[in-house]
Amino acid sequence: MRLSILAIEGVPKIKDGYNPATWMLEVTSAGKEANLKVNFTDVYKNSELHRRNKQLIQELSFPCQGSKDLHFDAQYSQTFVAQCIACLWKQHLSYWRNTSYTAVRLLFTIMTGLLFGLIFWDVGLKSHRRKEQDLFNAMGSMYAAVTFIGVVNGASVQPIVAIERTVFYRERAAGMYSALPYALAHVLLHR
């Protein structure tokens, strides 16, 4: 025997074609409970359905005699190499679908390279290296150029990583791949 909310006096019947979930939410709302002077929680707790559900929960809380725990040979359904290939392919598609990001990174790298090239023009020529300080200046300028490009490219990739992190958490929780193939794909494609 099921608990019938219609057995409670004052609860209106559902109309033909009306969404049952919507109807249930409407008739069990706090306002409706107050109008009917009924506490649906108490009605359920005193019902046969509640007692049967509690008994079923007790029965299902313990494993059946002779049953064994689930066991899988591997944590992931694919091999490490297959995970790497899948992650590389996914990152490749993601990288080329985001054309504005790719274009900005490429343009910025070219512009920065040209700017540093013009600023440090002829710094590394043999004729300009008369003192030890000239060699230090050339090495410092190379360090500054590489660091600047790296920091700016790193800053431009952070919004992409923030978005992809959510996808990674969802896909890793689903057992699609581990963190290592995902990280390798990112390193290989976003260098």
Side-chain angles (χ1 to χ4, degrees), residues 120 123-125 129 133-144:
F120 299 110
V123 169
L125 292 178
R129 281 185 278 143
Q133 186 61 44
D134 294 334
L135 180 63
F136 289 148
N137 288 343
M139 290 173 58
S141 65
M142 286 189 295
Y143 172 79

Side-chain angles (χ1 to χ4, degrees), residues 3-4 8 38-48 50:
L3 172 67
S4 176
I8 300 170
V38 173
N39 186 338
F40 289 113
T41 306
D42 292 339
V43 171
Y44 174 71
K45 282 184 179 179
N46 296 325
S47 71
E48 178 64 28
H50 178 257

Side-chain angles (χ1 to χ4, degrees), residues 108-110 112-113 116 143-155:
F108 185 79
T109 303
I110 290 170
T112 306
F116 275 103
Y143 172 79
V146 170
T147 302
F148 185 74
I149 290 174
V151 167
V152 172
N153 278 336

Side-chain angles (χ1 to χ4, degrees), residues 2 4 9 36 40 52 60 74 104 106 119 126 140 144 183:
R2 291 183 358 189
S4 176
E9 192 175 320
L36 295 173
F40 289 113
R52 278 198 344 247
L60 297 176
V104 166
L106 182 64
I119 291 172
K126 199 172 199 177

Side-chain angles (χ1 to χ4, degrees), residues 53 70 96 143 152-153 160 165:
N53 285 344
L70 286 176
W96 287 108
Y143 172 79
V152 172
N153 278 336
I160 305 299
R165 183 176 53 196

Side-chain angles (χ1 to χ4, degrees), residues 89-127:
W89 181 250
K90 182 175 109 47
Q91 289 303 319
H92 170 75
L93 290 176
S94 175
Y95 184 74
W96 287 108
R97 285 180 181 157
N98 195 347
T99 54
S100 60
Y101 164 72
T102 306
V104 166
R105 261 187 64 191
L106 182 64
L107 182 66
F108 185 79
T109 303
I110 290 170
M111 296 287 286
T112 306
L114 288 173
L115 179 66
F116 275 103
L118 289 172
I119 291 172
F120 299 110
W121 189 262
D122 288 341
V123 169
L125 292 178
K126 199 172 199 177
S127 61

